[in-house]
């Protein structure tokens, strides 16, 4: 029987090797950018102005950031490519609530002030594909704003993954137990087993 997904994560033809696993997590600097010029993107990342706050339509800082982030993500290349079915077919991503993770001046909270003045973007991502819907529960998806040693902000995903012990597709064995695996930003794991 052919695997339930066609194509590799980048949109190619043929079965994907990631389809042989209960869950496949793909993470890192995927290098997708936000379409737009620096001036427009910077304006979306600015705190609300006094005039915004006094407007009769003002709904608070949280609603303001939600609307600005929605514009950023609508122009995010990875979001666009996934929606068009050209990349990471069948993969999921938790909702993004953090600021763009690239490109910062090292040891600061300022976006790139070099001569290139790169446009801030969500280059660092965590995606997953699951064989059984509901196998992955997202506990947290965030960036590490405190880590300033790189021009990227690290991204973390705390996922609880439920999977079958053994895998008949790979080893011919099927275990009766299921495990819940939870990871944390610190790299620790906790495992709980159940029948």
């Amino acid at each position: 029987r052919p695997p339930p997904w066609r194509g590799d994560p980048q949109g190619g033809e043929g079965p994907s090797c990631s389809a042989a696993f209960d869950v496949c997590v793909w993470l890192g600097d995927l290098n997708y950018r936000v379409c737009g010029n620096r001036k427009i993107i910077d304006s979306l990342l600015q705190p609300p102005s006094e005039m915004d706050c006094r407007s009769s339509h003002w709904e608070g800082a949280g609603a303001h950031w939600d609307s600005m982030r929605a514009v950023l993500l609508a122009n995010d290349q990875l979001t666009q490519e996934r929606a068009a079915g050209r990349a990471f077919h069948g993969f999921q991503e938790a909702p993004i609530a953090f600021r763009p993770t690239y490109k910062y001046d090292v040891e600061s909270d300022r976006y790139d002030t070099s001569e290139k003045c790169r446009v801030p973007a969500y280059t660092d991502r965590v995606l997953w594909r699951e064989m059984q819907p509901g196998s992955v529960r997202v506990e947290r998806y965030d960036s590490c704003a405190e880590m300033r040693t790189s021009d990227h902000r690290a991204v973390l995903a705390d996922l609880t993954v439920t999977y079958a012990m053994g895998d008949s597709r790979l080893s011919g064995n099927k275990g009766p137990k299921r495990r819940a695996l939870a990871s944390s930003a610190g790299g620790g794991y906790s495992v709980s087993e159940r029948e």
Side-chain angles (χ1 to χ4, degrees):
R1 170 180 126 203
W5 302 289
R6 300 291 297 168
D8 65 31
Q10 295 301 321
E13 291 301 318
S16 170
C17 67
S18 65
F21 301 95
D22 291 332
V23 174
C24 177
V25 178
W26 195 296
L27 62 127
D29 175 4
L30 304 184
N31 214 24
Y32 286 90
R33 305 304 171 101
V34 172
C35 298
N37 67 44
R38 178 63 188 261
K39 186 175 182 178
I40 290 171
I41 302 303
D42 280 349
S43 71
L44 294 169
L45 294 168
Q46 292 301 311
S49 68
E50 278 188 41
M51 190 168 80
D52 290 334
C53 295
R54 288 185 296 207
S55 165
S56 62
H57 303 292
W58 179 248
E59 296 180 13
H64 173 79
W65 170 236
D66 288 346
S67 65
M68 297 300 107
R69 186 178 60 250
V71 173
L72 289 168
L73 292 172
N75 289 284
D76 172 65
Q77 293 172 344
L78 179 57
T79 302
Q80 293 171 347
E81 291 297 299
R82 287 180 57 226
R86 292 188 294 255
F88 294 95
H89 179 72
F91 279 77
Q92 300 176 60
E93 181 178 26
I96 293 176
F98 46 86
R99 296 173 65 81
T101 57
Y102 174 82
K103 176 177 193 318
Y104 284 90
D105 291 340
V106 175
E107 298 294 341
S108 82
D109 290 322
R110 289 182 313 272
Y111 285 106
D112 188 20
T113 59
S114 73
E115 185 178 313
K116 292 184 179 180
C117 211
R118 291 181 184 89
V119 174
Y122 293 100
T123 60
D124 307 279
R125 308 290 269 273
V126 179
L127 303 139
W128 72 89
R129 182 157 66 179
E130 57 194 354
M131 194 63 81
Q132 296 295 320
S135 297
V136 175
R137 186 176 73 235
V138 179
E139 308 295 341
R140 182 178 173 204
Y141 188 39
D142 206 351
S143 68
C144 302
E146 306 80 28
M147 295 181 68
R148 296 181 179 91
T149 56
S150 170
D151 58 352
H152 292 255
R153 291 295 185 263
V155 169
L156 66 96
D158 190 352
L159 308 172
T160 297
V161 177
T162 303
Y163 58 94
M165 293 296 294
D167 191 324
S168 59
R169 289 166 292 156
L170 298 177
S171 66
N173 297 323
K174 185 75 172 175
K177 295 183 180 179
R178 295 185 65 75
R179 285 187 175 184
L181 173 67
S183 66
S184 69
Y189 295 92
S190 64
V191 177
S192 62
E193 290 188 16
R194 67 175 197 252
E195 296 293 328

